[in-house]
Amino acid sequence: MSHSQEAGERISAFRKRRQLTQHGLAARANVSYSLLTKVESGSRPASDAFVAACARAMGVEIAAIIGDTGADSTRDERLGGLLAQVQTQLDLFDLDPDETIRPRSPVVLREAVRQMNQVAQAAKYEPTATVLPSLFAELQTAAHLWTGSRQAAAWGLLAEAYRCAHTVGIATGYPDMSLVALSRMDWAARRAGDRAPGLRAAREYLRVTAYLRKQDYDTCWSLNAAGRAHLEGTDQHTPGSLIAGGQLNLGAAVLSARVGDASATRDYLDEARHHARLTGEDLETFWFGFGPTNVAVHRVMTLIELGDYSHAIRLGETIEFPAEWLPTRIGHHHFDMARAYQRMSMPDEAVRHLQLARQSAPGQARRHPSVRSVVTDLLRMERHPSGALTRYAGWIGM
């Protein structure tokens, strides 16, 4: 079998593992459906550009498709196997609880969920995927067997654990798993007592981010409105309501910037800033890292969306992150800064921020589509790319 045929078979295998149709992958990778079918069948060779496009769309390394059996390819295969187990446990949510499981105390389970989300927000996806299935099973059992306030607490913790599965799925190229996890999050959140409104609103914000990537802005606005509806009748004493409401305002600001509405963008950011003054820096409620710093980071993001790159750069360079701020949020800020510098034709500064993103959350930087987009644009604009840029491109598999 030729290397081209092997590449086609591997593309097909990765596509099926991610539960994508050929039409779905072709659309996501922006390649011809007809060409994809021919490559997968082995009747047409897979060009380097075609392989790179499919790899980016599926969140896998190019080396895994072309047959490089090095450490990165092996690691991706191992993560795929772990995530398959997570998907299975997500699918088994409606089975009777396993009564052979003896759930740990609410305090211990709360700390277990907290630690798991910390690991996920540090972009350490393998350790997260390893533990999630057993944690789901334990929390499901607790939620069914416990009563009263302990039961409501268990449902809330289960919703938070499902949120963690969304984080991993969206970051590793398993968007279908992410959507299922968010569906399960709402299923559990409905039963979480006074935490239900905040959790359900937070879930709608996370769905906004998924559709934002698809540029489906009408759906984004519908989901934003649904999130706000969950918060009707709540006040600042309702657990998580201020955080969820503030984050929904940040999401609305990004949406407004995407469509060029600078006035609405400012209004939503001001409203989010009001929420942040009340909450202070809150890293862990829903794992948004909400607070004044996140508002500032989103202000930079929206300036970039509006095309005001110089203003974004001036503001972005002044931001100081609180101790223990979420690594993935720091990484995302550096992605944005790299994009702004690339648009300003300042490649060295763009690469500097890409390297800072790598330092903050390497697992995220290696996979995130924004990083690949910036690196691609930098390579196109530079006739003689720097050694730092070419090494970075190689590190992310380009």
Side-chain angles (χ1 to χ4, degrees):
M1 181 181 294
S2 70
H3 290 302
S4 177
Q5 288 174 313
E6 291 175 354
E9 285 196 355
R10 292 190 186 99
I11 289 172
S12 177
F14 279 118
R15 174 179 62 75
K16 292 173 182 176
R17 192 174 301 147
R18 279 153 175 71
Q19 300 180 356
L20 290 169
T21 64
Q22 289 179 318
H23 281 291
L25 176 56
R28 183 178 299 181
N30 196 27
V31 300
S32 161
Y33 165 75
S34 174
L35 178 58
L36 174 63
T37 61
K38 290 173 182 176
V39 168
E40 287 196 357
S41 68
S43 63
R44 284 284 298 274
S47 68
D48 291 344
F50 182 89
V51 169
C54 290
R56 286 194 297 273
M58 295 188 291
V60 304
E61 298 301 319
I62 292 174
I65 293 177
I66 65 176
D68 183 340
T69 57
D72 288 343
S73 175
T74 301
R75 183 162 54 246
D76 194 83
E77 287 288 333
R78 184 166 60 247
L79 178 59
L82 293 170
L83 291 177
Q85 297 176 42
V86 175
Q87 289 176 301
T88 297
Q89 196 63 41
L90 287 170
D91 186 51
L92 300 181
F93 79 107
D94 56 349
L95 294 185
D96 291 335
D98 184 349
E99 296 188 8
T100 65
I101 296 175
R102 293 293 178 264
R104 291 168 287 178
S105 71
V107 172
V108 173
L109 282 176
R110 187 176 300 112
E111 181 60 20
V113 172
R114 174 181 174 273
Q115 291 179 0
M116 188 51 46
N117 274 286
Q118 278 186 320
V119 172
Q121 293 298 329
K124 298 177 180 177
Y125 302 125
E126 277 192 36
T128 306
T130 300
V131 175
L132 275 177
S134 60
L135 186 58
F136 288 161
E138 184 177 7
L139 288 168
Q140 287 165 353
T141 301
H144 282 89
L145 296 183
W146 290 350
T147 59
S149 61
R150 294 171 82 239
Q151 184 178 52
W155 284 117
L157 291 173
L158 182 56
E160 289 187 58
Y162 285 142
R163 185 258 190 270
C164 189
H166 154 76
T167 299
V168 177
I170 205 69
T172 56
Y174 287 77
D176 295 330
M177 187 183 94
S178 166
L179 290 175
V180 172
L182 290 180
S183 176
R184 302 293 180 263
M185 179 182 176
D186 192 62
W187 171 76
R190 291 169 183 264
R191 298 159 173 80
D194 62 353
R195 295 194 64 203
L199 281 165
R200 298 190 71 193
R203 179 256 189 165
E204 300 299 358
Y205 169 79
L206 293 169
R207 287 211 291 176
V208 168
T209 63
Y211 283 92
L212 192 63
R213 291 190 179 198
K214 301 178 182 180
Q215 300 183 4
D216 185 350
Y217 302 138
D218 288 341
T219 298
C220 287
W221 282 117
S222 296
L223 292 170
N224 191 278
R228 294 174 187 277
H230 289 312
L231 297 176
E232 291 179 1
T234 66
D235 57 30
Q236 62 182 5
H237 303 295
T238 304
S241 63
L242 283 175
I243 301 293
Q247 200 70 26
L248 285 166
N249 278 309
L250 292 179
V254 174
L255 280 168
S256 298
R258 282 283 183 94
V259 298
D261 190 339
S263 177
T265 298
R266 287 192 296 271
D267 290 344
Y268 283 121
L269 286 172
D270 287 345
E271 187 63 27
R273 184 173 59 182
H274 171 69
H275 282 245
R277 286 171 177 164
L278 297 174
T279 64
E281 298 289 357
D282 187 320
L283 304 184
E284 298 185 5
T285 299
F286 311 132
W287 299 94
F288 293 144
F290 185 76
T293 303
N294 208 6
V295 175
V297 164
H298 277 76
R299 193 174 297 277
V300 171
M301 188 187 309
T302 55
L303 286 169
I304 295 171
E305 295 291 351
L306 290 167
D308 192 351
Y309 306 121
S310 59
H311 189 186
I313 287 170
R314 289 196 301 273
L315 177 60
E317 292 290 5
T318 67
I319 293 176
E320 296 184 5
F321 300 109
E324 299 183 358
W325 214 54
L326 306 181
T328 50
R329 289 300 312 133
I330 296 173
H332 205 292
H333 174 68
H334 289 305
F335 304 162
D336 290 334
M337 291 294 287
R339 181 158 57 110
Y341 276 117
Q342 183 271 320
R343 298 293 172 84
M344 293 289 287
S345 298
M346 301 172 70
D348 291 343
E349 291 300 306
V351 172
R352 178 172 66 85
H353 277 279
L354 290 174
Q355 291 170 332
L356 289 170
R358 178 178 180 177
Q359 293 172 17
S360 299
Q364 178 194 40
R366 284 182 65 246
R367 295 173 178 275
H368 203 284
S370 291
V371 171
R372 295 177 179 274
S373 176
V374 170
V375 171
T376 298
D377 289 341
L378 288 171
L379 289 171
R380 285 174 179 165
M381 67 184 283
E382 290 290 288
R383 180 171 298 180
H384 301 291
S386 67
L389 176 58
T390 55
R391 286 191 297 273
Y392 200 95
W395 177 68
I396 65 175
M398 291 183 65

